[in-house]
Amino acid sequence: MNICVVGTGYVGLVSGACFAEFGLRVTCVDKDRARIDALKNGRIPIYELGLEEMVNRNLREGRLSFTTEIAPAIENSLVIFIAVGTPARDDGSADLSYVEAVAAQIASHLNGYKIIATKSTVPVGTGRRLREIIGQVRREKVDFDVVSNPEFLREGSAIEDFMRPDRVIIGAESPQAVAIMQDLYRPLFMLETPFIMTDVATAEMIKYASNTFLATKVSFINEIANLCELMEADVDQVAKGMGLDHRIGGEFLHPGPGFGGSCFPKDIQALSSLARQRGYDFEIINAVQRVNEGQPRRMLEKIAGAVGGIRGRTLGVLGLSFKPNTNDIRESPALTIVQGLLEGGAMVRAYDPAAMEDAKQALHGIIYCQDAYEAAKGAEALIVLTEWSQFRNLDLARVRELLQKPVFIDLRNVYDPAKVRQAGLTYLGIGRK
Ligand code: NAD
């Protein structure tokens, strides 16, 4: 089967490479020529474990190709995935202009029955809107189906998530579309991956509801952590005690500086906006968002308290990406905190294993270091902002020697406080005794 994926960001590129790995012939399309030129030469624009190898293998074996020419890619494909961005507009609603532009292009090049499947996260009702757009562009009768196939991969473990998902959601309204989508995902079907076959609107809602629920867990545990600090309780043990309850589950119960990335912040805003448009005030989402926006400020207060005020301090920070194993800095709480430190008059020495090139475009006036130890050198505190594995086991005696003042601030609770104190450092975490 020939398919095409429009958009070669995290979702489009990973999905395209993984579908090629399933044995399908995949054309990946992007309007960004530099990106496509790099991909044609096997250069991967994002940091994602295993992706470069998978892309290059499938390029070599002729199952994967890259192009900026959308017309032939559509004409030759039975299924066209839309995987372009859906950023937040100023009012919080999802900006569908990229998705709609692709739909109009697809409409112009329909030359037989095709499935147009949205992998982008799109508001409920988008499937219907895409059918309208295609109908407006093509006044004569054309045969097509619009399918919602939301993507749940996580940056940092994207290939594993695509290849072994917890579930595959397919929102389709014709038996033909269902059969083709099942065929496409046959390798996962054979692994007994749960499939939810539903209508388009419900599939669209499943994605927003899932992200909103996960974001709610994060804000919830952050509030519990804030409360633990006032009550001399330990949030890590609270989270463990809660998470062992199967009805709750332990994931996404790690306190920290708040959630970020290109999905949660915009997706919860989009669902809240969608609810508002229908006259419904989704109160929980609004609270989740407020708590998350307040969290970096709390962290800045914590840092200021630990070092006796930020102005004039030299501070070392570890991690700039919004989470480990990615170079993605979109809505990264680490960046918000560094920005706050700079505005407060601190000098910042920073290190991140993958995100420094991206951070250099967004964040000026900080010293970018070669490794964690260089970031600690001469600083009055070392602050863990993103929990990369390589920051979990630092040589604390060396850190102690390099620091000007022995303060270790662990905003991801990855260290055993006793061990840090044994190394002669003052330890400060989140919601810990
Ligand atoms: P991205 O911003 O990394 O990439 C989007 C790509 O689409 C860009 O390369 C851009 O050049 C391209 N593009 C835009 N308009 C185009 C057009 N008309 N023709 C061809 N290419 C075009 O986006 P992403 O992070 O991959 O996210 C894509 C969608 O998937 C979003 O809706 C997002 O919410 C959703 N999603 C993302 C993740 C994630 O972890 N990043 C996970 C699940 C779902």
Side-chain angles (χ1 to χ4, degrees), residues 7 9-11 30-31 84 86 121 151 153 155 263 266 330:
Y10 284 87
V11 167
D30 205 292
K31 62 180 184 182
V84 298
T86 47
T121 303
E151 184 49 58
L153 61 79
E155 291 173 22
C263 293
K266 81 166 172 61
R330 291 178 281 183

Side-chain angles (χ1 to χ4, degrees), residues 6-13 29-32 35 46 70 82-87 97-99 101-102 105 119-122 150-155 207 211 262-263 266-267 322-323 328 330:
V6 186
T8 60
Y10 284 87
V11 167
L13 185 55
V29 184
D30 205 292
K31 62 180 184 182
D32 181 339
R35 199 174 184 91
I46 53 177
I70 197 167
I82 302 181
V84 298
T86 47
S97 57
Y98 301 98
V99 171
V102 175
Q105 284 178 300
K119 260 209 179 293
S120 299
T121 303
V122 291
E151 184 49 58
F152 295 91
L153 61 79
R154 295 163 300 176
E155 291 173 22
K207 174 65 189 177
N211 274 5
S262 66
C263 293
K266 81 166 172 61
D267 291 349
F322 84 95
K323 65 172 179 180
D328 200 340
R330 291 178 281 183

Side-chain angles (χ1 to χ4, degrees), residues 1-8 11-29 36 40 54-55 58-67 69 72-74 76-81 83 119 162-163 184:
M1 194 193 300
N2 288 346
I3 68 164
C4 111
V5 182
V6 186
T8 60
V11 167
L13 185 55
V14 172
S15 307
C18 290
F19 279 130
E21 194 76 5
F22 288 172
L24 303 166
R25 275 188 304 276
V26 184
T27 309
C28 288
V29 184
I36 290 295
K40 277 181 175 170
M54 185 183 276
V55 166
N58 284 286
L59 266 175
R60 242 186 351 262
E61 293 171 9
R63 286 185 299 269
L64 184 62
S65 60
F66 294 100
T67 182
E69 301 292 321
I74 292 168
N76 293 330
S77 300
L78 176 59
V79 183
I80 301 144
F81 283 99
K119 260 209 179 293
F162 192 96
M163 291 299 202
L184 199 71

Side-chain angles (χ1 to χ4, degrees), residues 244-258:
L244 286 170
D245 184 330
H246 292 295
R247 294 170 302 176
I248 298 174
E251 290 197 51
F252 283 76
L253 285 183
H254 304 285

